[in-house]
Amino acid sequence: MINREIIRTKIVQLTYAYYQNGSKNIDSAEKELLFSLSKAYDLYNYLLALMVAVTRESRRRLEIEEAKSRREGTAKPSTRFAYNRFILQLEANKQLSEFTETQKKTWNDEPEYVGKLFGQISNSQIYKDYMADPTDNYETDKELWRKLYRALIQDNDDLSQLLEEQSLYWNDDKEVVDTFVMKTIKRFEEQNGAKQELLAEYESEEERDFARKLFRATILNADEYQRFMSETSRNWDFSRLAYMDVVIMQIAIAEMMTFPSIPLSVTINEYVDIAKLYSTPKSSGYINGMLDTIARHLVQTGKLLKAIDDPKKQQDNQ
């Protein structure tokens, strides 16, 4: 699950923090980086567990409604949402259960929010259409949660605030983690039952190595990389750059120099996108031009053995 998009963002955050921290202990900083990445995976599991928690809340309310219907002799309420086949499978999932058992904090600690979210769901048109739909099968049940997640969980200010209060590491993680939750919903198959595989913490061991190598190269070769910036910024006052711009470019250069298989255009585009989120309004344009100039300078001087590629012709090699 943890891919290079997440890794690059975390390294920008942790490198900036590293220079703000007086201790400058690279081993401790690396541990903090890996811990921060693990928290993104925790969030992935936590958001999967949220769907289960909401369904359990629906069952609690269903029991109250059933007791009322018995007393009053009215029709029994529908159990369709409370026993949605997809959620039953997710609830029984071995990997998710193992994760939940190791956590000190679960959605049981947030009954007010879980109840509020169920209220939003039960009042939604998506829920009403589902309850009225005569088609009753696993795929319909799964499709319900794909729609609900996208409409009411993926973009939910109350949830974002709650997650931010629970972990500082989750401030910037939710948007990208949401995409992995949606991917997981799509991947579920009924025949897999409780053994359905969730996404692994890392897509491959290469990703963990990518994180370590990129972070260490950024810190250990900082003077050299900043010299490259200074040499190629003659028309700019390098000393007046936003400090975050320097950090972002330093990491981008580290990636160019350390990972020969990643096209230069991919590296440049990734860090330009990060600059749009983390630096000044003008930073992305400046960083784009600077990194392109730096890359050309490094290739021409033989310090970098890569081709200057055409971004339009490159496939995503993140």
Side-chain angles (χ1 to χ4, degrees):
M1 188 211 85
I2 295 173
N3 62 7
R4 294 187 181 184
E5 178 184 355
I6 297 175
I7 290 170
R8 289 181 177 106
T9 300
K10 292 290 187 182
I11 289 178
V12 167
Q13 295 169 348
L14 268 294
T15 301
Y16 186 86
Y18 176 85
Y19 288 118
Q20 300 301 311
N21 187 334
S23 67
K24 298 287 195 329
N25 186 311
I26 192 170
D27 292 328
S28 296
E30 184 182 285
K31 290 179 181 177
E32 179 69 10
L33 169 63
L34 295 176
F35 180 75
S36 177
L37 290 169
S38 74
K39 292 299 291 182
Y41 191 63
D42 286 352
L43 179 58
Y44 163 72
N45 283 278
Y46 198 50
L47 290 172
L48 289 174
L50 176 58
M51 293 185 283
V52 174
V54 168
T55 304
R56 288 176 176 171
E57 171 63 14
S58 76
R59 291 176 198 156
R60 186 187 70 80
R61 298 190 187 190
L62 178 64
E63 289 178 0
I64 296 172
E65 291 178 14
E66 287 176 335
K68 182 180 178 181
S69 70
R70 286 194 297 270
R71 287 195 307 271
E72 299 178 355
T74 55
K76 291 182 179 180
S78 172
T79 63
R80 185 174 188 181
F81 181 84
Y83 294 95
N84 176 286
R85 296 173 183 85
F86 164 72
I87 293 295
L88 288 174
Q89 183 183 11
L90 181 62
E91 187 175 20
N93 184 270
K94 292 183 178 180
Q95 288 177 250
L96 185 60
S97 297
E98 288 172 1
F99 166 82
T100 304
E101 289 170 1
T102 63
Q103 301 305 299
K104 294 180 179 179
K105 188 171 182 61
T106 70
W107 287 108
N108 291 334
D109 302 313
E110 301 293 342
E112 184 176 345
Y113 176 73
V114 172
K116 181 178 181 180
L117 180 57
F118 174 66
Q120 293 172 338
I121 287 173
S122 60
N123 288 322
S124 71
Q125 191 60 47
I126 296 171
Y127 174 90
K128 293 173 183 176
D129 290 345
Y130 166 76
M131 297 299 280
D133 189 350
T135 307
D136 185 13
N137 56 38
Y138 176 85
E139 290 303 321
T140 302
D141 286 359
K142 187 170 75 168
E143 178 64 9
L144 167 74
W145 274 101
R146 188 192 67 80
K147 290 179 179 178
L148 288 175
Y149 195 94
R150 176 171 290 174
L152 298 173
I153 298 178
Q154 190 164 328
D155 185 18
N156 186 311
D157 291 339
D158 290 338
L159 177 56
S160 296
Q161 183 178 345
L162 176 65
L163 294 173
E164 184 175 339
E165 291 171 355
Q166 291 187 8
S167 175
L168 293 175
Y169 295 98
W170 290 347
N171 288 1
D172 303 301
D173 290 347
K174 186 174 181 295
E175 184 175 349
V176 66
V177 172
D178 280 333
T179 66
F180 291 116
V181 174
M182 292 293 290
K183 182 178 180 180
T184 299
I185 294 172
K186 184 178 180 180
R187 282 165 51 115
F188 260 58
E189 295 182 5
E190 187 174 16
Q191 63 268 26
N192 292 336
K195 294 181 180 181
Q196 172 72 47
E197 291 187 2
L198 304 182
L199 297 180
E201 182 172 2
Y202 285 88
E203 292 186 353
S204 70
E205 190 59 33
E206 290 180 3
E207 304 308 305
R208 194 191 301 267
D209 290 340
F210 175 82
R212 290 196 186 100
K213 289 178 181 177
L214 180 57
F215 182 67
R216 283 193 169 267
T218 297
I219 301 301
L220 295 176
N221 302 312
D223 291 343
E224 180 183 14
Y225 299 157
Q226 290 189 20
R227 187 174 69 252
F228 295 157
M229 294 182 221
S230 181
E231 290 172 353
T232 54
S233 62
R234 302 184 191 284
N235 296 327
W236 301 80
D237 186 350
F238 183 70
S239 65
R240 298 184 64 183
L241 277 178
Y243 190 63
M244 179 58 82
D245 291 354
V246 176
V247 169
I248 291 171
M249 287 193 290
Q250 183 176 320
I251 300 167
I253 296 169
E255 184 171 313
M256 292 177 187
M257 301 291 287
T258 310
F259 299 95
S261 66
I262 302 177
L264 290 171
S265 62
V266 170
T267 296
I268 293 172
N269 290 340
E270 288 295 321
Y271 291 98
V272 167
D273 287 343
I274 289 174
K276 292 175 183 177
L277 295 174
Y278 290 98
S279 201
T280 69
K282 296 181 179 180
S283 292
S284 60
Y286 174 76
I287 287 175
N288 186 45
M290 273 289 294
L291 289 179
D292 182 70
T293 301
I294 290 169
R296 293 178 185 279
H297 170 72
L298 294 175
V299 170
Q300 290 166 3
T301 57
K303 296 182 178 71
L304 182 60
L305 301 179
K306 283 189 179 183
I308 300 295
D309 41 273
D310 182 351
K312 295 181 179 179
K313 295 181 179 179
Q314 287 296 336
Q315 295 181 346
D316 187 0
N317 189 31
Q318 299 177 47

PDB file of all heavy atoms in Angstrom, residues 1-2 17 48 53 68 78 85 142 230 275:
ATOM      1  N   MET A   1       0.808  -1.209   0.000  1.00  0.00           N
ATOM      2  CA  MET A   1       0.000   0.000   0.000  1.00  0.00           C
ATOM      3  C   MET A   1       0.844   1.262   0.000  1.00  0.00           C
ATOM      4  O   MET A   1       0.582   2.202  -0.724  1.00  0.00           O
ATOM      5  CB  MET A   1      -0.916   0.007   1.226  1.00  0.00           C
ATOM      6  CG  MET A   1      -1.934   1.137   1.212  1.00  0.00           C
ATOM      7  SD  MET A   1      -2.377   1.731   2.845  1.00  0.00           S
ATOM      8  CE  MET A   1      -1.081   2.914   3.144  1.00  0.00           C
ATOM      9  N   ILE A   2       1.891   1.255   0.828  1.00  0.00           N
ATOM     10  CA  ILE A   2       2.750   2.437   0.906  1.00  0.00           C
ATOM     11  C   ILE A   2       3.556   2.527  -0.383  1.00  0.00           C
ATOM     12  O   ILE A   2       4.423   1.702  -0.637  1.00  0.00           O
ATOM     13  CB  ILE A   2       3.666   2.374   2.136  1.00  0.00           C
ATOM     14  CG1 ILE A   2       2.822   2.430   3.410  1.00  0.00           C
ATOM     15  CG2 ILE A   2       4.670   3.522   2.123  1.00  0.00           C
ATOM     16  CD1 ILE A   2       3.592   2.222   4.681  1.00  0.00           C
ATOM     17  N   ALA A  17      11.544  18.682   9.117  1.00  0.00           N
ATOM     18  CA  ALA A  17      11.578  18.578  10.577  1.00  0.00           C
ATOM     19  C   ALA A  17      12.988  18.294  11.081  1.00  0.00           C
ATOM     20  O   ALA A  17      13.393  18.794  12.139  1.00  0.00           O
ATOM     21  CB  ALA A  17      10.620  17.481  11.039  1.00  0.00           C
ATOM     22  N   LEU A  48     -11.009   1.043   7.109  1.00  0.00           N
ATOM     23  CA  LEU A  48     -11.761  -0.179   6.811  1.00  0.00           C
ATOM     24  C   LEU A  48     -12.626  -0.563   8.016  1.00  0.00           C
ATOM     25  O   LEU A  48     -13.797  -0.938   7.869  1.00  0.00           O
ATOM     26  CB  LEU A  48     -10.801  -1.323   6.474  1.00  0.00           C
ATOM     27  CG  LEU A  48     -10.051  -1.249   5.146  1.00  0.00           C
ATOM     28  CD1 LEU A  48      -9.029  -2.376   5.048  1.00  0.00           C
ATOM     29  CD2 LEU A  48     -11.013  -1.313   3.957  1.00  0.00           C
ATOM     30  N   ALA A  53     -17.727  -0.640  11.999  1.00  0.00           N
ATOM     31  CA  ALA A  53     -18.275   0.014  13.185  1.00  0.00           C
ATOM     32  C   ALA A  53     -19.638   0.637  12.901  1.00  0.00           C
ATOM     33  O   ALA A  53     -20.566   0.547  13.727  1.00  0.00           O
ATOM     34  CB  ALA A  53     -17.305   1.081  13.683  1.00  0.00           C
ATOM     35  N   LYS A  68     -39.447  -2.805  19.348  1.00  0.00           N
ATOM     36  CA  LYS A  68     -40.613  -1.917  19.241  1.00  0.00           C
ATOM     37  C   LYS A  68     -41.678  -2.529  18.342  1.00  0.00           C
ATOM     38  O   LYS A  68     -42.886  -2.471  18.655  1.00  0.00           O
ATOM     39  CB  LYS A  68     -40.169  -0.562  18.691  1.00  0.00           C
ATOM     40  CG  LYS A  68     -41.301   0.452  18.574  1.00  0.00           C
ATOM     41  CD  LYS A  68     -40.784   1.775  18.034  1.00  0.00           C
ATOM     42  CE  LYS A  68     -41.921   2.773  17.869  1.00  0.00           C
ATOM     43  NZ  LYS A  68     -41.438   4.067  17.313  1.00  0.00           N
ATOM     44  N   SER A  78     -36.271  -3.858   8.057  1.00  0.00           N
ATOM     45  CA  SER A  78     -35.367  -4.572   7.157  1.00  0.00           C
ATOM     46  C   SER A  78     -33.994  -4.760   7.808  1.00  0.00           C
ATOM     47  O   SER A  78     -33.477  -3.880   8.483  1.00  0.00           O
ATOM     48  CB  SER A  78     -35.188  -3.783   5.851  1.00  0.00           C
ATOM     49  OG  SER A  78     -34.174  -4.366   5.052  1.00  0.00           O
ATOM     50  N   ARG A  85     -23.677  -8.268   2.917  1.00  0.00           N
ATOM     51  CA  ARG A  85     -22.743  -9.382   2.704  1.00  0.00           C
ATOM     52  C   ARG A  85     -21.283  -8.927   2.652  1.00  0.00           C
ATOM     53  O   ARG A  85     -20.387  -9.596   3.179  1.00  0.00           O
ATOM     54  CB  ARG A  85     -23.095 -10.120   1.411  1.00  0.00           C
ATOM     55  CG  ARG A  85     -24.466 -10.803   1.412  1.00  0.00           C
ATOM     56  CD  ARG A  85     -24.768 -11.334   0.025  1.00  0.00           C
ATOM     57  NE  ARG A  85     -26.087 -11.936  -0.079  1.00  0.00           N
ATOM     58  CZ  ARG A  85     -27.204 -11.249  -0.330  1.00  0.00           C
ATOM     59  NH1 ARG A  85     -27.153  -9.919  -0.488  1.00  0.00           N
ATOM     60  NH2 ARG A  85     -28.371 -11.861  -0.418  1.00  0.00           N
ATOM     61  N   LYS A 142     -21.656  -4.785  -2.154  1.00  0.00           N
ATOM     62  CA  LYS A 142     -20.325  -4.174  -2.264  1.00  0.00           C
ATOM     63  C   LYS A 142     -20.410  -2.805  -2.930  1.00  0.00           C
ATOM     64  O   LYS A 142     -19.743  -1.856  -2.506  1.00  0.00           O
ATOM     65  CB  LYS A 142     -19.393  -5.107  -3.046  1.00  0.00           C
ATOM     66  CG  LYS A 142     -17.953  -4.624  -3.066  1.00  0.00           C
ATOM     67  CD  LYS A 142     -17.007  -5.667  -3.633  1.00  0.00           C
ATOM     68  CE  LYS A 142     -17.109  -5.779  -5.133  1.00  0.00           C
ATOM     69  NZ  LYS A 142     -15.988  -6.579  -5.713  1.00  0.00           N
ATOM     70  N   SER A 230      22.940  26.151  -6.034  1.00  0.00           N
ATOM     71  CA  SER A 230      23.579  27.465  -6.082  1.00  0.00           C
ATOM     72  C   SER A 230      24.233  27.723  -7.432  1.00  0.00           C
ATOM     73  O   SER A 230      24.133  28.819  -7.996  1.00  0.00           O
ATOM     74  CB  SER A 230      24.625  27.554  -4.965  1.00  0.00           C
ATOM     75  OG  SER A 230      25.244  28.827  -4.959  1.00  0.00           O
ATOM     76  N   ALA A 275       5.386  20.622  -4.107  1.00  0.00           N
ATOM     77  CA  ALA A 275       5.567  22.053  -3.844  1.00  0.00           C
ATOM     78  C   ALA A 275       4.235  22.799  -3.866  1.00  0.00           C
ATOM     79  O   ALA A 275       4.022  23.750  -3.108  1.00  0.00           O
ATOM     80  CB  ALA A 275       6.525  22.656  -4.868  1.00  0.00           C
TER      81      ALA A 275
END
